Amino acid sequence: MIHIFDGAMGTMLQAGGLKPGACPELMNIEHPDVVKSIHKAYVEAGATIVETNTFGASRLKLDHYGLADRTRELNTAAVKLAKEAVLDRAKVAGSMGPTGRFIEPLGDLDFETAYATFREQAEALAEGGADYLIIETCIDIQEMRAALLAAKDATDLPVICQLSYSEDGRTVTGTDPQSAAVTLDAMGADIIGVNCSLGPEQLVPIVQKLHDSCTKPISVQPNAGMPILENGTTVFPMHPDDFGYWAPKLVEAGASYIGGCCGTTPAHIRAMAEAVRGMDEPAPNDGPRMLALTSRSRTVCIDKSLPTRLIGERINPTGRKKLAAEIKSGSLLSVKKEAVNQVKAGANLLDVNMGVGGIDQTAAMKQAVTEIAQLTDAPLVIDTGDAASLEAGLRAYPGRALINSVTAEDYRIETYLPLAKKYGAAILCLPITEDGVPKTAEARLRAVRTIIEKAKEQGLRDGDFLLDALVMTVSADVNACNEVLKTLQGYRREFGYPATMGLSNISFGLPARPLINSTFFAMCLAAGLDAPIMNPYDEAMQNALAASSALLGKDPNGLAFSRHDWSGYGTHNGAVTKTVKKNDASAPQDTLGRIKQAVIEGEKDVVAELVDQAIQEKHEPNEITEKALTAAMTDIGEDFGAGRMFLPQVLLSAETMRTAFDRLKERFPAAAGPSKGTVVIATVKGDVHDLGKNITGALLANSGYQLVDLGKDVDADTIVRTAIEKQADIVGLCALMTTTMTQIDTVIAKLHEAGSHAKVIVGGAALTQEYADEAGADAYAPDGVKAVKLADALTGHAC
């Protein structure tokens, strides 16, 4: 049987008397009959699960209405109303919506504050008697992680996790369905899905990808198409019959739970329920689980059937005095450079170790993980011997990390495995026991077998393990190489899980170490090594990998090998030689080019120094602005539009550019000149959503505009008065809710009446280009990056 959710709540509340700008959740207390009648209507239409009227009933959201102290009351009342309305005809899902703020470093919301907010609401919904918790309409995987952790810690109820995706198939912050499914499945979400933003046709491929990427049931709640304006009223155009037409296709794509979101009514749900009546639930994706690790925007799978994955080892202060000293001083400049450069050199994952004596390693790990995760899309390996540091890193990481490492020692088993289960991390199994390092392959297999057995007792599954073969030095142990090879072969034969190890230890104490290492590397690849931990800058190792991949069939027909740059190779007396290239030809050598690159890569720590250097070289402020800073944002806009860069990186780049602008103004107050112009920005009256507005405002401010942010739920007269007083060049208007879109028309009309010459840019999830044209806006911005480009064009600052 297919499970049927209900449809939209907000529009029906308004039909029942909810005033624009009023708190929808207060209806649970002041107009309970209206709320109950909506639940009844959906159950009569065929819904088997109804959602409580608590989408915005978290403390952070209720604070806007002065109702934060009534959080528990409003949530428990909502569940009881739903229970009374449905009796035994349907289950009740406690709805938990987003906070409306980004978690650091993308925004100003602390992870622990978000966690506490969601936990309070989850506890209240459970106390009221909810059958499920549904966390929905999230656009940031880190906020979803905070909510899921809170829900799991607070209750034993099944938890449904639904993100919202844009037309490019990613969330606003860049998460794709595969990465979301892998991350949430590992963390213990019971049902994984998608809601809002798009219509059913656009969500079919997203449902398919979710189903193929995890083992959990899939849910989907589309909008009734995209909103349009008819006779001054916002409507969703999809007819119930058309909505029902897509229901079987969503089931065929893998959805077991289906329903509606914005614009859907009991008629839409009735059509959907009738269309899937008699259909069986899709079979779960219960095929072999592959080890998959994720960042916010990318999934990396490790398996014998796939190309070898490189784990970059360079973010480790062991034996590196300069790096250790920097970390101890509180600077992560070299750490972040190593992260970016290792990925450029071919690392697929990054090992992160903050093991420096005399520092707060827990704080250092949290900071390093947070900053590296914003800089690169490579999944992280959290490398620490301290459980507190491990948890700090796992909690801060917006993806699925690998723990390096879990041994067969009691301390690691007892402390690390519960953390792996709680945070959905995979584990690197290192065959060390209470008796030390096993010398033989047989003993190493026994140690790993113990780790895997204990891990499965904690709830870990196939696909959660990476096995380390443990390399010793051949100069001290004549059998070191052979035992590693036998261990790799044993892992593949007995467990079938992928294998890893560090390589360089094999040659310690010997001459010609690069030759030993690269030869050993090739032997290990043939024996079953899947993910070496290595220095990705090492050309000899990279070349051994390229050749081995071709010979072992991981590079079919040697295609990638043939495309490799072998121009430095030649022969001398019959021997192959190689000229090692020391410099990256693609790296800019001039200072303006380096400033541009620093902005693109978000190097806040170095850009001010580069600006100083450019000034010393007699570059004029306007030249620095145009050829470095503005040029960087042009490239960033193109990369963002093409899906090569995502919001976290864009925000970091914008902050970096702001740092450069500030240094220019500091050095040349007059020459730096005025700002590009004044922008007054606001979310319109009746709309309390301001996340998109805040992103756009930050990008505009960091791009050189003077920003006047009026906030959310702002009436037309205030916007117009401020635009006149501030002599605004641009007025930016945001509306997320379909019911508040028409306020944009009102503001534009009043701006014209007041004689304002400001250009108007509009945006928001509910808006379209067609609506913007009808409303008389000068431009429509689907995202913040586009808003900056439009503002530049409208004010004459476009390149």
Side-chain angles (χ1 to χ4, degrees):
M1 182 186 77
I2 305 302
H3 307 273
I4 308 296
F5 283 116
D6 55 11
M9 172 66 73
T11 50
M12 296 190 70
L13 286 175
Q14 287 162 354
L18 177 66
K19 303 298 183 185
C23 176
E25 289 74 22
L26 196 56
M27 297 280 282
N28 298 329
I29 302 296
E30 296 183 348
H31 299 283
D33 290 343
V34 172
V35 178
K36 286 175 69 173
S37 68
I38 295 170
H39 292 318
K40 288 179 180 178
Y42 278 120
V43 172
E44 290 167 1
T48 58
I49 302 173
V50 299
E51 295 187 32
T52 54
N53 179 34
T54 54
F55 179 79
S58 67
R59 177 172 292 271
L60 285 177
K61 295 291 282 186
L62 290 173
D63 186 59
H64 174 77
Y65 303 102
L67 298 172
D69 60 346
R70 300 181 69 178
T71 299
R72 176 180 169 276
E73 175 192 6
L74 290 170
N75 280 279
T76 54
V79 179
K80 290 174 181 176
L81 282 178
K83 287 281 189 178
E84 291 170 4
V86 304
L87 299 176
D88 296 325
R89 297 176 294 170
K91 299 291 186 181
V92 172
S95 173
M96 298 168 61
T99 62
R101 293 163 61 185
F102 276 137
I103 292 175
E104 297 171 334
L106 303 188
D108 61 356
L109 182 60
D110 177 72
F111 184 92
E112 300 307 325
T113 301
Y115 170 87
T117 297
F118 286 120
R119 178 160 186 161
E120 178 185 33
Q121 187 178 12
E123 288 173 344
L125 291 167
E127 179 186 341
D131 301 298
Y132 300 88
L133 295 178
I134 180 167
I135 307 162
E136 56 186 338
T137 326
C138 283
I139 59 172
D140 178 31
I141 191 66
Q142 188 68 332
E143 183 174 38
M144 179 61 83
R145 290 183 71 253
L148 177 56
L149 285 169
K152 286 289 184 181
D153 287 347
T155 81
D156 294 324
L157 294 176
V159 182
I160 305 166
C161 295
Q162 294 185 161
L163 289 158
S164 289
Y165 298 88
S166 303
E167 289 183 279
D168 64 356
R170 292 179 179 268
T171 68
V172 168
T173 55
T175 302
D176 59 284
Q178 181 184 18
S179 298
V182 169
T183 301
L184 299 174
D185 188 0
M187 288 183 66
D190 297 283
I191 299 166
I192 297 170
V194 51
N195 76 293
C196 205
S197 296
L198 302 171
E201 181 178 4
Q202 294 88 354
L203 292 186
V204 168
I206 291 176
V207 168
Q208 183 73 62
K209 193 65 177 179
L210 290 172
H211 177 267
D212 293 346
S213 302
C214 70
T215 62
K216 303 297 173 61
I218 305 302
S219 62
V220 57
Q221 293 177 277
N223 291 343
M226 296 302 292
I228 60 174
L229 191 66
E230 288 185 355
N231 301 319
T233 302
T234 304
V235 297
F236 282 85
M238 185 168 280
H239 189 274
D241 290 344
D242 297 324
F243 195 73
Y245 167 82
W246 287 100
K249 298 182 184 300
L250 292 168
V251 173
E252 291 165 2
S256 300
Y257 294 75
I258 62 175
C261 200
C262 298
T264 58
T265 66
H268 290 82
I269 300 308
R270 179 175 291 105
M272 175 175 270
E274 290 174 354
V276 300
R277 183 173 291 116
M279 293 186 72
D280 294 328
E281 285 193 55
N285 179 18
D286 55 3
R289 291 188 74 234
M290 190 179 293
L291 173 58
L293 303 166
T294 68
S295 65
R296 187 192 297 274
S297 57
R298 181 183 174 207
T299 298
V300 173
C301 296
I302 305 174
D303 189 76
K304 63 183 179 182
S305 65
L306 299 173
T308 303
R309 309 303 189 191
L310 301 188
I311 302 175
E313 68 178 8
R314 299 276 299 169
I315 305 176
N316 190 326
T318 305
R320 301 180 64 191
K321 292 182 179 179
K322 183 180 178 182
L323 180 61
E326 275 196 26
I327 293 172
K328 192 167 187 176
S329 72
S331 171
L332 292 180
L333 178 58
S334 292
V335 166
K336 291 188 284 187
K337 283 185 175 179
E338 289 285 13
V340 171
N341 290 336
Q342 286 187 101
V343 171
K344 286 182 178 179
N348 306 107
L349 301 101
L350 296 173
D351 187 86
V352 180
N353 184 303
M354 291 287 109
V356 177
I359 68 169
D360 183 345
Q361 292 191 22
T362 299
M365 181 63 80
K366 177 183 177 182
Q367 182 184 1
V369 166
T370 299
E371 297 196 21
I372 294 169
Q374 192 177 11
L375 274 174
T376 80
D377 65 355
L380 300 188
V381 181
I382 300 178
D383 183 358
T384 177
D386 176 66
S389 297
L390 174 63
E391 181 161 22
L394 292 173
R395 204 165 178 86
Y397 185 57
R400 187 186 193 215
L402 174 68
I403 295 173
N404 185 7
S405 54
V406 176
T407 68
E409 298 164 293
D410 290 343
Y411 169 76
R412 295 286 180 109
I413 294 289
E414 293 168 2
T415 57
Y416 280 33
L417 290 181
L419 292 175
K421 176 62 177 174
K422 178 175 182 176
Y423 292 99
I427 63 172
L428 186 154
C429 302
L430 186 65
I432 295 177
T433 70
E434 298 288 358
D435 298 323
V437 178
K439 289 190 174 182
T440 67
E442 291 78 8
R444 292 174 189 176
L445 262 69
R446 284 197 299 272
V448 164
R449 191 179 302 116
T450 297
I451 297 169
I452 292 171
E453 289 172 355
K454 295 292 185 181
K456 288 188 173 181
E457 290 174 7
Q458 288 281 344
L460 274 69
R461 306 169 291 169
D462 294 342
D464 292 341
F465 306 107
L466 183 62
L467 312 184
D468 194 310
L470 195 59
V471 178
M472 308 304 290
T473 178
V474 76
S475 63
D477 182 356
V478 67
N479 292 316
C481 175
N482 289 329
E483 292 302 326
V484 167
L485 298 177
K486 288 197 293 183
T487 300
L488 289 170
Q489 292 161 353
Y491 286 166
R492 183 63 53 83
R493 181 179 62 251
E494 179 169 342
F495 303 113
Y497 301 145
T500 187
M501 60 187 190
L503 294 157
S504 58
N505 199 39
I506 192 72
S507 64
F508 184 79
L510 294 175
R513 292 189 68 186
L515 176 60
I516 293 285
N517 290 343
S518 59
T519 304
F520 176 61
F521 186 21
M523 296 168 69
C524 291
L525 289 168
L529 176 62
D530 302 291
I533 303 171
M534 58 177 272
N535 177 359
Y537 311 145
D538 190 322
E539 285 200 71
M541 300 291 277
Q542 289 278 18
N543 293 337
L545 174 60
S548 297
S549 296
L551 294 170
L552 295 171
K554 292 198 172 186
D555 173 17
N557 304 115
L559 186 59
F561 184 85
S562 300
R563 292 172 176 168
H564 196 75
D565 179 13
W566 300 109
S567 58
Y569 269 84
T571 58
H572 179 69
N573 295 331
V576 177
T577 62
K578 176 76 167 79
T579 302
V580 178
K581 297 180 179 179
K582 296 293 185 184
N583 297 318
D584 180 3
S586 66
Q589 302 302 313
D590 65 292
T591 304
L592 294 184
R594 290 168 63 199
I595 293 172
K596 177 182 175 182
Q597 194 68 22
V599 172
I600 290 172
E601 296 184 353
E603 295 184 289
K604 290 191 299 181
D605 300 315
V606 303
V607 75
E609 182 180 333
L610 288 172
V611 170
D612 287 341
Q613 184 177 332
I615 292 170
Q616 291 172 5
E617 294 172 2
K618 307 302 182 183
H619 291 287
E620 293 295 326
N622 285 344
E623 183 185 13
I624 297 171
T625 299
E626 293 174 10
K627 293 184 178 180
L629 303 181
T630 304
M633 286 308 290
T634 298
D635 287 0
I636 289 165
E638 291 176 357
D639 286 346
F640 181 80
R644 295 187 294 268
M645 179 179 278
F646 304 109
L647 184 62
Q649 292 81 29
V650 171
L651 290 173
L652 185 59
S653 292
E655 291 173 15
T656 305
M657 189 166 72
R658 179 79 269 163
T659 300
F661 271 133
D662 289 345
R663 179 54 61 93
L664 272 177
K665 290 180 180 179
E666 177 185 326
R667 295 292 300 273
F668 295 97
S675 68
K676 290 182 178 180
T678 299
V679 178
V680 173
I681 192 169
T683 301
V684 297
K685 182 65 178 174
D687 203 319
V688 297
H689 303 86
D690 63 353
L691 191 54
K693 173 190 68 67
N694 293 343
I695 295 168
T696 301
L699 293 175
L700 287 165
N702 287 327
S703 298
Y705 288 92
Q706 183 70 34
L707 187 72
V708 180
D709 188 343
L710 297 178
K712 56 193 175 184
D713 192 18
V714 185
D715 64 80
D717 290 339
T718 299
I719 297 171
V720 173
R721 183 174 63 253
T722 305
I724 297 296
E725 291 174 355
K726 300 294 183 180
Q727 297 183 333
D729 300 282
I730 299 284
V731 172
L733 302 175
C734 176
L736 181 79
M737 299 167 62
T738 57
T739 52
T740 61
M741 288 167 56
T742 53
Q743 283 292 316
I744 287 177
D745 304 63
T746 302
V747 175
I748 292 174
K750 289 194 173 187
L751 282 169
H752 292 159
E753 290 172 8
S756 172
H757 298 293
K759 302 295 185 181
V760 179
I761 301 176
V762 300
L767 270 64
T768 63
Q769 181 67 59
E770 292 74 19
Y771 181 90
D773 293 340
E774 289 186 30
D778 294 284
Y780 161 68
D783 54 66
V785 175
K786 183 68 172 178
V788 173
K789 295 182 72 173
L790 290 169
D792 286 346
L794 292 170
T795 58
H797 291 94
C799 294

